[in-house]
Coordinates of all heavy atoms in Angstrom, one line a residue:
F1 N 17.1 11.6 32.0 CA 17.0 13.0 32.3 C 16.8 13.2 33.8 O 17.2 14.3 34.3 CB 15.8 13.6 31.6 CG 16.1 13.9 30.1 CD1 15.6 13.0 29.2 CD2 16.8 15.0 29.7 CE1 15.7 13.2 27.9 CE2 17.0 15.2 28.4 CZ 16.5 14.3 27.4
G2 N 16.3 12.3 34.5 CA 16.1 12.5 35.9 C 15.0 13.5 36.2 O 14.2 13.9 35.4
P3 N 14.9 13.9 37.5 CA 13.8 14.8 37.9 C 13.8 16.2 37.3 O 12.8 16.9 37.2 CB 13.9 14.9 39.4 CG 15.0 14.0 39.8 CD 15.7 13.5 38.6
T4 N 15.0 16.6 36.8 CA 15.1 18.0 36.2 C 15.0 18.0 34.7 O 15.0 19.1 34.1 CB 16.4 18.7 36.7 OG1 17.5 17.9 36.2 CG2 16.4 18.8 38.2
G5 N 14.9 16.9 34.1 CA 14.9 16.8 32.7 C 13.7 17.5 32.0 O 13.9 18.2 31.0
G6 N 12.6 17.5 32.6 CA 11.4 18.2 32.1 C 11.6 19.7 32.1 O 11.2 20.4 31.2
Y7 N 12.3 20.2 33.1 CA 12.6 21.6 33.2 C 13.6 22.0 32.0 O 13.4 23.1 31.4 CB 13.1 22.1 34.5 CG 12.1 21.8 35.6 CD1 12.2 20.7 36.4 CD2 11.1 22.7 35.8 CE1 11.2 20.4 37.4 CE2 10.1 22.5 36.8 CZ 10.2 21.3 37.6 OH 9.3 21.1 38.6
L8 N 14.5 21.2 31.8 CA 15.5 21.5 30.7 C 14.8 21.5 29.3 O 15.0 22.4 28.5 CB 16.6 20.4 30.7 CG 17.5 20.4 31.9 CD1 18.5 19.3 31.9 CD2 18.2 21.7 32.1
I9 N 13.9 20.6 29.1 CA 13.1 20.6 27.9 C 12.2 21.8 27.9 O 12.1 22.4 26.8 CB 12.2 19.3 27.8 CG1 13.2 18.1 27.6 CG2 11.2 19.4 26.7 CD1 12.5 16.7 27.8
G10 N 11.6 22.2 29.0 CA 10.8 23.4 29.1 C 11.5 24.6 28.7 O 11.0 25.5 28.1
F11 N 12.8 24.7 29.2 CA 13.6 25.9 28.8 C 13.8 26.0 27.3 O 13.7 27.1 26.7 CB 15.0 25.8 29.5 CG 15.0 26.3 30.9 CD1 15.2 25.5 31.9 CD2 14.9 27.7 31.2 CE1 15.3 25.9 33.2 CE2 14.9 28.2 32.5 CZ 15.1 27.3 33.5
W12 N 14.1 24.9 26.7 CA 14.2 24.9 25.2 C 12.9 25.3 24.5 O 12.9 26.1 23.6 CB 14.7 23.5 24.8 CG 14.8 23.4 23.3 CD1 15.8 23.8 22.5 CD2 13.8 22.8 22.4 NE1 15.5 23.6 21.2 CE2 14.3 23.0 21.1 CE3 12.5 22.2 22.6 CZ2 13.6 22.5 20.0 CZ3 11.8 21.8 21.5 CH2 12.4 21.9 20.2
M13 N 11.8 24.8 25.0 CA 10.5 25.1 24.4 C 10.2 26.6 24.6 O 9.7 27.3 23.7 CB 9.4 24.2 25.0 CG 9.5 22.8 24.7 SD 8.4 21.7 25.6 CE 6.8 22.4 25.2
A14 N 10.5 27.1 25.8 CA 10.2 28.5 26.1 C 11.1 29.4 25.2 O 10.6 30.5 24.7 CB 10.4 28.8 27.6
A15 N 12.3 29.1 25.0 CA 13.2 29.9 24.2 C 12.7 29.9 22.7 O 12.7 30.9 22.1 CB 14.6 29.3 24.2
C16 N 12.2 28.7 22.2 CA 11.7 28.7 20.9 C 10.4 29.5 20.8 O 10.2 30.2 19.8 CB 11.3 27.2 20.5 SG 12.8 26.2 20.3
L17 N 9.6 29.4 21.8 CA 8.3 30.2 21.8 C 8.6 31.7 21.8 O 8.1 32.5 21.0 CB 7.5 29.9 23.1 CG 6.3 30.7 23.3 CD1 5.2 30.4 22.2 CD2 5.7 30.4 24.7
L18 N 9.5 32.2 22.7 CA 9.8 33.6 22.7 C 10.6 34.1 21.5 O 10.4 35.2 21.0 CB 10.6 34.0 24.0 CG 9.8 34.0 25.3 CD1 10.7 34.3 26.5 CD2 8.7 35.1 25.2
G19 N 11.4 33.2 20.9 CA 12.1 33.5 19.7 C 11.1 33.7 18.5 O 11.2 34.6 17.7
Y20 N 10.1 32.9 18.5 CA 9.0 32.9 17.5 C 8.2 34.2 17.6 O 8.0 34.9 16.7 CB 8.1 31.7 17.6 CG 6.9 31.8 16.7 CD1 7.1 31.5 15.3 CD2 5.7 32.0 17.2 CE1 6.0 31.6 14.5 CE2 4.6 32.1 16.4 CZ 4.7 31.8 15.0 OH 3.6 31.9 14.2
L21 N 7.8 34.5 18.9 CA 7.1 35.7 19.1 C 7.9 37.0 18.8 O 7.4 38.0 18.3 CB 6.6 35.8 20.6 CG 5.5 34.8 20.9 CD1 5.2 34.7 22.4 CD2 4.2 35.1 20.2
A22 N 9.2 36.9 19.1 CA 10.0 38.1 18.9 C 10.2 38.3 17.4 O 10.2 39.5 16.9 CB 11.4 37.9 19.6
D23 N 10.3 37.2 16.7 CA 10.5 37.3 15.2 C 9.2 37.9 14.5 O 9.3 38.7 13.7 CB 10.8 36.0 14.6 CG 11.2 36.0 13.2 OD1 12.0 37.0 12.8 OD2 10.8 35.2 12.4
I24 N 8.1 37.4 15.0 CA 6.8 37.8 14.4 C 6.4 39.2 14.8 O 6.0 40.0 14.1 CB 5.7 36.8 14.7 CG1 6.0 35.5 13.9 CG2 4.4 37.3 14.3 CD1 4.9 34.5 13.9
R25 N 6.5 39.4 16.1 CA 5.9 40.6 16.7 C 6.9 41.7 16.9 O 6.6 42.8 17.3 CB 5.3 40.3 18.0 CG 4.2 39.2 17.9 CD 3.0 39.8 17.2 NE 1.9 38.8 17.3 CZ 0.9 38.8 16.6 NH1 0.6 39.9 15.8 NH2 0.0 37.9 16.6
K26 N 8.2 41.4 16.7 CA 9.3 42.4 16.9 C 9.4 42.9 18.3 O 10.1 43.9 18.5 CB 9.2 43.5 15.8 CG 9.2 43.0 14.4 CD 10.5 42.3 14.1 CE 10.4 41.9 12.6 NZ 11.3 40.8 12.3
L27 N 8.7 42.3 19.2 CA 8.7 42.8 20.6 C 8.4 44.3 20.8 O 8.9 44.9 21.8 CB 10.0 42.4 21.3 CG 10.1 40.9 21.6 CD1 11.5 40.6 22.2 CD2 9.0 40.3 22.3
R28 N 7.7 44.9 19.9 CA 7.4 46.3 20.0 C 5.9 46.4 20.4 O 5.1 47.0 19.7 CB 7.6 47.0 18.7 CG 9.0 47.1 18.3 CD 9.3 47.9 17.1 NE 10.6 47.8 16.6 CZ 11.0 47.8 15.4 NH1 10.1 48.0 14.4 NH2 12.2 47.7 15.1
R29 N 5.7 45.9 21.6 CA 4.3 45.9 22.1 C 4.2 46.5 23.4 O 5.2 46.8 24.1 CB 3.8 44.5 22.1 CG 3.8 43.8 20.8 CD 2.7 44.3 20.0 NE 2.7 43.7 18.7 CZ 2.5 44.4 17.5 NH1 2.2 45.6 17.5 NH2 2.5 43.7 16.4
P30 N 3.0 46.8 23.9 CA 2.9 47.3 25.3 C 3.5 46.4 26.3 O 3.6 45.2 26.1 CB 1.4 47.5 25.5 CG 0.8 47.2 24.2 CD 1.8 46.6 23.3
V31 N 3.8 46.9 27.5 CA 4.5 46.2 28.5 C 3.6 45.0 28.9 O 4.1 43.9 29.3 CB 5.0 47.0 29.6 CG1 3.9 47.6 30.5 CG2 6.0 46.3 30.5
W32 N 2.3 45.2 29.0 CA 1.4 44.1 29.5 C 1.5 42.9 28.5 O 1.4 41.8 29.0 CB 0.0 44.6 29.6 CG -0.7 45.0 28.4 CD1 -0.8 46.2 27.8 CD2 -1.4 44.1 27.5 NE1 -1.5 46.1 26.6 CE2 -1.9 44.8 26.4 CE3 -1.7 42.7 27.6 CZ2 -2.6 44.3 25.4 CZ3 -2.4 42.2 26.5 CH2 -2.9 42.9 25.5
R33 N 1.6 43.2 27.2 CA 1.7 42.1 26.3 C 3.1 41.3 26.4 O 3.1 40.1 26.4 CB 1.5 42.5 24.8 CG 1.4 41.4 23.9 CD 0.9 41.8 22.5 NE -0.5 42.2 22.6 CZ -1.1 42.8 21.7 NH1 -0.5 43.2 20.6 NH2 -2.3 43.1 21.8
L34 N 4.1 42.1 26.6 CA 5.4 41.5 26.9 C 5.4 40.6 28.2 O 5.9 39.5 28.2 CB 6.5 42.5 27.1 CG 6.8 43.4 25.8 CD1 7.8 44.5 26.1 CD2 7.5 42.4 24.7
F35 N 4.6 41.1 29.2 CA 4.5 40.4 30.4 C 3.8 39.1 30.2 O 4.2 38.0 30.7 CB 3.7 41.2 31.5 CG 3.2 40.4 32.6 CD1 4.1 40.0 33.6 CD2 1.8 40.1 32.7 CE1 3.6 39.2 34.6 CE2 1.4 39.4 33.8 CZ 2.2 38.9 34.7
V36 N 2.7 39.1 29.4 CA 1.9 37.9 29.1 C 2.9 36.9 28.3 O 2.8 35.7 28.6 CB 0.7 38.2 28.2 CG1 0.0 37.0 27.7 CG2 -0.3 39.0 29.0
W37 N 3.7 37.4 27.4 CA 4.5 36.5 26.7 C 5.6 35.8 27.6 O 5.9 34.6 27.5 CB 5.3 37.2 25.6 CG 4.4 37.6 24.4 CD1 3.1 37.2 24.2 CD2 4.7 38.4 23.4 NE1 2.6 37.7 23.1 CE2 3.6 38.6 22.5 CE3 5.8 39.2 23.0 CZ2 3.5 39.3 21.4 CZ3 5.8 39.9 21.9 CH2 4.7 40.0 21.1
M38 N 6.1 36.6 28.5 CA 7.2 36.1 29.4 C 6.5 35.1 30.4 O 7.1 34.1 30.7 CB 7.8 37.3 30.2 CG 8.6 38.2 29.4 SD 9.9 37.5 28.5 CE 10.5 38.8 27.5
L39 N 5.3 35.4 30.9 CA 4.6 34.6 31.7 C 4.3 33.2 31.0 O 4.4 32.1 31.6 CB 3.4 35.2 32.3 CG 2.6 34.5 33.4 CD1 3.5 34.3 34.6 CD2 1.4 35.2 33.8
L40 N 3.9 33.3 29.8 CA 3.6 32.1 29.0 C 4.9 31.3 28.9 O 4.8 30.0 29.0 CB 3.1 32.5 27.6 CG 2.7 31.4 26.7 CD1 1.6 30.6 27.3 CD2 2.3 31.9 25.3
A41 N 6.0 31.9 28.7 CA 7.3 31.1 28.7 C 7.6 30.5 30.0 O 8.0 29.3 30.0 CB 8.4 32.1 28.2
H42 N 7.4 31.2 31.1 CA 7.6 30.6 32.4 C 6.7 29.5 32.7 O 7.1 28.5 33.2 CB 7.5 31.7 33.5 CG 8.7 32.5 33.7 ND1 8.8 33.8 33.3 CD2 9.9 32.2 34.2 CE1 10.0 34.3 33.6 NE2 10.7 33.3 34.1
M43 N 5.4 29.7 32.3 CA 4.4 28.6 32.5 C 4.8 27.3 31.7 O 4.6 26.2 32.1 CB 3.0 29.0 32.1 CG 2.5 30.0 33.1 SD 0.7 30.5 32.9 CE 0.5 30.5 31.1
T44 N 5.4 27.5 30.5 CA 5.8 26.4 29.7 C 6.9 25.7 30.4 O 6.9 24.4 30.4 CB 6.4 26.9 28.3 OG1 5.3 27.6 27.6 CG2 6.9 25.8 27.4
I45 N 7.9 26.3 31.0 CA 9.0 25.7 31.7 C 8.4 24.9 32.9 O 8.7 23.8 33.1 CB 10.0 26.7 32.1 CG1 10.7 27.4 31.0 CG2 11.1 26.1 33.1 CD1 11.5 28.6 31.3
V46 N 7.6 25.6 33.7 CA 7.2 25.0 35.0 C 6.2 23.8 34.7 O 6.2 22.8 35.3 CB 6.5 26.0 35.9 CG1 5.9 25.4 37.1 CG2 7.5 27.0 36.3
A47 N 5.3 24.0 33.7 CA 4.4 22.9 33.3 C 5.1 21.7 32.8 O 4.7 20.6 33.2 CB 3.3 23.5 32.3
T48 N 6.0 21.9 31.9 CA 6.7 20.8 31.3 C 7.5 20.1 32.4 O 7.5 18.8 32.5 CB 7.7 21.3 30.2 OG1 6.9 22.0 29.2 CG2 8.3 20.1 29.5
G49 N 8.2 20.9 33.2 CA 9.0 20.2 34.3 C 8.1 19.5 35.3 O 8.4 18.4 35.7
G50 N 7.0 20.1 35.7 CA 6.1 19.5 36.6 C 5.5 18.2 36.0 O 5.3 17.2 36.8
L51 N 5.2 18.3 34.8 CA 4.5 17.1 34.1 C 5.5 15.9 34.1 O 5.1 14.8 34.5 CB 4.1 17.4 32.7 CG 3.5 16.3 31.9 CD1 2.1 15.9 32.5 CD2 3.3 16.7 30.5
L52 N 6.7 16.2 33.7 CA 7.6 15.0 33.6 C 8.1 14.6 35.0 O 8.4 13.4 35.2 CB 8.8 15.4 32.7 CG 8.5 15.6 31.2 CD1 9.7 16.0 30.4 CD2 7.8 14.3 30.7
L53 N 8.2 15.6 35.9 CA 8.5 15.2 37.3 C 7.4 14.3 37.9 O 7.7 13.4 38.7 CB 8.7 16.5 38.1 CG 9.0 16.3 39.6 CD1 10.4 15.6 39.8 CD2 9.0 17.6 40.3
S54 N 6.2 14.5 37.6 CA 5.1 13.7 38.1 C 5.2 12.2 37.7 O 4.7 11.4 38.4 CB 3.7 14.3 37.6 OG 3.5 14.0 36.3
F55 N 5.9 11.9 36.6 CA 6.1 10.5 36.3 C 7.0 9.8 37.2 O 7.0 8.6 37.4 CB 6.6 10.4 34.9 CG 5.7 10.8 33.8 CD1 6.0 11.7 32.8 CD2 4.4 10.2 33.7 CE1 5.1 12.1 31.9 CE2 3.5 10.6 32.8 CZ 3.8 11.5 31.8
T56 N 7.9 10.6 37.9 CA 8.8 9.9 38.9 C 8.4 10.0 40.3 O 8.6 9.1 41.1 CB 10.2 10.5 38.7 OG1 10.2 11.9 39.0 CG2 10.9 10.2 37.4
V57 N 7.7 11.1 40.7 CA 7.3 11.2 42.1 C 5.8 11.3 42.3 O 5.4 11.4 43.5 CB 8.0 12.5 42.7 CG1 9.5 12.5 42.7 CG2 7.4 13.8 42.1
G58 N 5.0 11.2 41.3 CA 3.6 11.3 41.4 C 3.1 12.8 41.3 O 3.9 13.7 41.5
L59 N 1.9 12.9 40.9 CA 1.3 14.2 40.6 C 1.2 15.2 41.8 O 1.6 16.3 41.7 CB -0.1 14.1 39.9 CG -0.7 15.3 39.4 CD1 0.2 16.0 38.4 CD2 -2.1 15.0 38.8
P60 N 0.7 14.7 43.0 CA 0.7 15.6 44.1 C 2.0 16.1 44.5 O 2.2 17.3 44.8 CB 0.0 14.8 45.2 CG -0.7 13.7 44.5 CD 0.1 13.4 43.3
A61 N 3.0 15.2 44.6 CA 4.4 15.7 45.0 C 5.0 16.6 44.0 O 5.7 17.5 44.3 CB 5.2 14.4 45.2
A62 N 4.7 16.3 42.7 CA 5.2 17.2 41.7 C 4.6 18.6 41.8 O 5.3 19.6 41.6 CB 4.9 16.6 40.2
W63 N 3.4 18.7 42.1 CA 2.7 20.0 42.2 C 3.3 20.7 43.4 O 3.6 21.9 43.3 CB 1.2 19.8 42.4 CG 0.5 21.0 42.7 CD1 0.1 21.4 44.0 CD2 0.2 22.2 41.9 NE1 -0.5 22.7 44.0 CE2 -0.4 23.2 42.7 CE3 0.4 22.4 40.6 CZ2 -0.8 24.4 42.2 CZ3 0.0 23.7 40.1 CH2 -0.6 24.6 40.9
F64 N 3.3 20.1 44.5 CA 3.7 20.8 45.8 C 5.2 21.0 45.8 O 5.7 22.0 46.5 CB 3.3 20.0 47.0 CG 1.8 20.0 47.2 CD1 1.0 18.9 47.1 CD2 1.2 21.2 47.6 CE1 -0.3 19.0 47.3 CE2 -0.1 21.3 47.8 CZ -0.9 20.2 47.6
N65 N 6.1 20.3 45.1 CA 7.5 20.5 45.2 C 8.1 21.0 43.9 O 9.2 21.6 43.9 CB 8.2 19.1 45.5 CG 7.8 18.6 46.9 OD1 7.7 19.4 47.8 ND2 7.5 17.3 47.0
G66 N 7.4 20.8 42.8 CA 8.0 21.2 41.5 C 7.3 22.3 40.7 O 7.8 22.8 39.7
V67 N 6.1 22.7 41.2 CA 5.3 23.7 40.5 C 5.0 24.8 41.4 O 5.3 26.0 41.1 CB 4.1 23.1 39.8 CG1 3.2 24.1 39.2 CG2 4.4 22.0 38.8
Q68 N 4.2 24.5 42.4 CA 3.7 25.5 43.3 C 4.7 26.5 43.9 O 4.5 27.7 43.9 CB 2.9 24.9 44.4 CG 2.1 25.9 45.3 CD 1.4 25.2 46.5 OE1 1.7 24.1 46.8 NE2 0.4 25.9 47.0
P69 N 5.9 26.0 44.3 CA 6.9 27.0 44.9 C 7.4 28.0 43.8 O 8.0 29.0 44.2 CB 8.0 26.1 45.3 CG 7.5 24.7 45.4 CD 6.4 24.7 44.5
F70 N 7.2 27.8 42.6 CA 7.8 28.6 41.5 C 6.8 29.6 40.9 O 7.2 30.3 40.0 CB 8.5 27.7 40.5 CG 9.5 26.8 41.0 CD1 9.3 25.5 41.2 CD2 10.7 27.4 41.5 CE1 10.3 24.6 41.7 CE2 11.7 26.6 42.0 CZ 11.5 25.2 42.2
I71 N 5.6 29.5 41.3 CA 4.5 30.4 40.6 C 4.8 31.8 40.9 O 4.8 32.6 40.0 CB 3.1 29.9 41.1 CG1 2.8 28.5 40.5 CG2 2.1 30.9 40.6 CD1 1.6 27.9 41.0
V72 N 5.0 32.2 42.2 CA 5.2 33.6 42.5 C 6.5 34.1 41.8 O 6.5 35.2 41.3 CB 5.2 33.8 44.0 CG1 5.6 35.3 44.4 CG2 3.9 33.5 44.6
G73 N 7.5 33.4 41.9 CA 8.8 33.7 41.2 C 8.6 33.9 39.7 O 9.2 34.8 39.1
A74 N 7.8 33.1 39.1 CA 7.6 33.2 37.7 C 6.9 34.5 37.3 O 7.2 35.2 36.3 CB 6.8 32.0 37.2
V75 N 5.9 34.9 38.2 CA 5.2 36.1 37.9 C 6.2 37.4 38.1 O 6.2 38.3 37.2 CB 4.0 36.3 38.8 CG1 3.3 37.7 38.7 CG2 3.0 35.2 38.5
V76 N 6.9 37.3 39.2 CA 7.9 38.4 39.4 C 8.9 38.5 38.3 O 9.2 39.6 37.8 CB 8.6 38.2 40.8 CG1 9.7 39.2 41.0 CG2 7.5 38.4 41.9
K77 N 9.5 37.4 37.9 CA 10.5 37.3 36.8 C 9.9 37.8 35.5 O 10.6 38.4 34.7 CB 11.1 36.0 36.7 CG 12.0 35.6 37.9 CD 12.8 34.3 37.6 CE 11.8 33.2 37.6 NZ 12.5 31.9 37.5
S78 N 8.6 37.5 35.3 CA 8.0 37.9 34.0 C 7.8 39.4 34.0 O 8.0 40.0 32.9 CB 6.6 37.3 33.9 OG 6.7 35.8 33.8
V79 N 7.5 40.0 35.1 CA 7.4 41.5 35.2 C 8.7 42.1 34.9 O 8.9 43.0 34.1 CB 6.8 42.0 36.5 CG1 7.0 43.5 36.7 CG2 5.4 41.6 36.7
I80 N 9.8 41.6 35.6 CA 11.1 42.2 35.4 C 11.6 42.0 34.0 O 12.1 42.9 33.4 CB 12.1 41.5 36.4 CG1 11.7 41.9 37.8 CG2 13.6 41.8 36.1 CD1 12.4 41.1 38.9
A81 N 11.4 40.8 33.4 CA 11.8 40.5 32.0 C 11.1 41.4 31.0 O 11.7 41.9 30.1 CB 11.6 39.1 31.7
A82 N 9.8 41.6 31.2 CA 9.0 42.5 30.3 C 9.6 43.9 30.4 O 9.8 44.6 29.3 CB 7.6 42.5 30.6
C83 N 9.9 44.4 31.5 CA 10.4 45.7 31.7 C 11.8 45.9 31.1 O 12.1 46.9 30.4 CB 10.5 46.1 33.2 SG 8.9 46.3 33.9
I84 N 12.6 44.9 31.2 CA 14.0 44.9 30.6 C 13.9 44.9 29.1 O 14.6 45.6 28.4 CB 14.8 43.6 31.1 CG1 15.2 43.8 32.6 CG2 16.0 43.4 30.2 CD1 15.9 42.6 33.2
V85 N 13.0 44.1 28.5 CA 12.8 44.0 27.1 C 12.3 45.4 26.6 O 12.8 45.9 25.6 CB 11.9 42.9 26.6 CG1 11.5 43.0 25.2 CG2 12.5 41.6 26.9
L86 N 11.4 46.0 27.3 CA 10.9 47.3 26.9 C 12.0 48.4 26.9 O 12.1 49.1 26.0 CB 9.7 47.7 27.8 CG 8.9 48.9 27.4 CD1 8.2 48.7 26.2 CD2 8.0 49.3 28.6
V87 N 12.8 48.4 28.0 CA 13.8 49.4 28.1 C 14.9 49.1 27.1 O 15.4 50.1 26.5 CB 14.4 49.4 29.6 CG1 15.7 50.2 29.7 CG2 13.4 49.9 30.5
A88 N 15.3 47.9 26.9 CA 16.3 47.6 25.9 C 15.8 48.0 24.5 O 16.6 48.5 23.7 CB 16.6 46.1 25.9
G89 N 14.6 47.8 24.2 CA 14.1 48.2 22.9 C 14.1 49.7 22.7 O 14.5 50.2 21.6
V90 N 13.9 50.5 23.8 CA 14.0 51.9 23.7 C 15.4 52.3 23.5 O 15.7 53.2 22.7 CB 13.4 52.6 24.9 CG1 13.7 54.0 25.0 CG2 11.8 52.4 25.0
M91 N 16.3 51.7 24.2 CA 17.7 52.1 24.1 C 18.3 51.7 22.7 O 19.1 52.5 22.2 CB 18.5 51.4 25.2 CG 18.2 51.8 26.6 SD 19.0 50.9 27.9 CE 20.7 51.4 27.7
I92 N 17.8 50.6 22.2 CA 18.3 50.2 20.8 C 17.8 51.2 19.8 O 18.6 51.6 18.9 CB 17.9 48.8 20.5 CG1 18.7 47.8 21.4 CG2 18.1 48.4 19.1 CD1 18.3 46.4 21.3
R93 N 16.6 51.6 19.9 CA 16.0 52.5 18.9 C 16.6 53.9 19.0 O 16.6 54.6 18.0 CB 14.5 52.6 19.1 CG 13.8 51.5 18.4 CD 12.3 51.6 18.6 NE 11.9 50.4 19.3 CZ 11.1 50.4 20.4 NH1 10.6 51.5 20.8 NH2 10.8 49.3 21.0
R94 N 17.2 54.3 20.1 CA 17.9 55.6 20.2 C 19.2 55.6 19.5 O 19.7 56.7 19.2 CB 18.1 55.9 21.7 CG 16.8 56.3 22.4 CD 17.1 56.8 23.8 NE 15.9 57.1 24.5 CZ 15.9 57.4 25.8 NH1 17.0 57.4 26.5 NH2 14.7 57.7 26.3
Q95 N 19.8 54.5 19.3 CA 21.2 54.4 18.7 C 21.1 54.6 17.2 O 20.3 54.3 16.5 CB 21.9 53.2 19.1 CG 22.2 53.2 20.5 CD 23.0 51.9 20.9 OE1 23.2 51.0 20.1 NE2 23.4 51.9 22.2

């Protein structure tokens, strides 16, 4: 898998997690809850990738190069994704 293999596994795990939450909760929740779910998915990706990266480069290097630079982006993307899901749900219900 190399240094990016953990992130690929994390993407799969995050997709399964959000699919499960969407199936059970129908994603008809307040935007803050959608944000938490999206952030949880992003944390799954980054944590899995950082963990498996640490086996090849060590824990400090994995943190500073494979986790820390992506934290702010994960929060911003989670806000955007939650808003998109909320708007898409409203648009679908109108049809």
Side-chain angles (χ1 to χ4, degrees):
F1 285 101
T4 60
Y7 297 98
L8 296 174
I9 293 169
F11 276 111
W12 176 79
M13 292 170 59
C16 291
L17 174 67
L18 284 178
Y20 174 75
L21 290 172
D23 188 43
I24 288 188
R25 303 290 183 190
K26 303 297 183 202
L27 291 179
R28 293 186 189 146
R29 299 289 177 218
V31 71
W32 68 267
R33 188 167 292 166
L34 294 172
F35 166 74
V36 170
W37 290 349
M38 298 299 175
L39 189 60
L40 183 63
H42 278 109
M43 288 188 325
T44 301
I45 296 166
V46 173
T48 305
L51 178 67
L52 293 179
L53 180 62
S54 71
F55 291 125
T56 58
V57 299
L59 188 57
W63 170 257
F64 288 112
N65 297 316
V67 176
Q68 187 181 20
F70 302 105
I71 293 173
V72 173
V75 172
V76 171
K77 289 187 291 184
S78 297
V79 169
I80 293 169
C83 291
I84 288 172
V85 169
L86 188 68
V87 169
V90 169
M91 292 174 69
I92 288 172
R93 278 183 242 130
R94 285 185 184 174
Q95 293 181 357

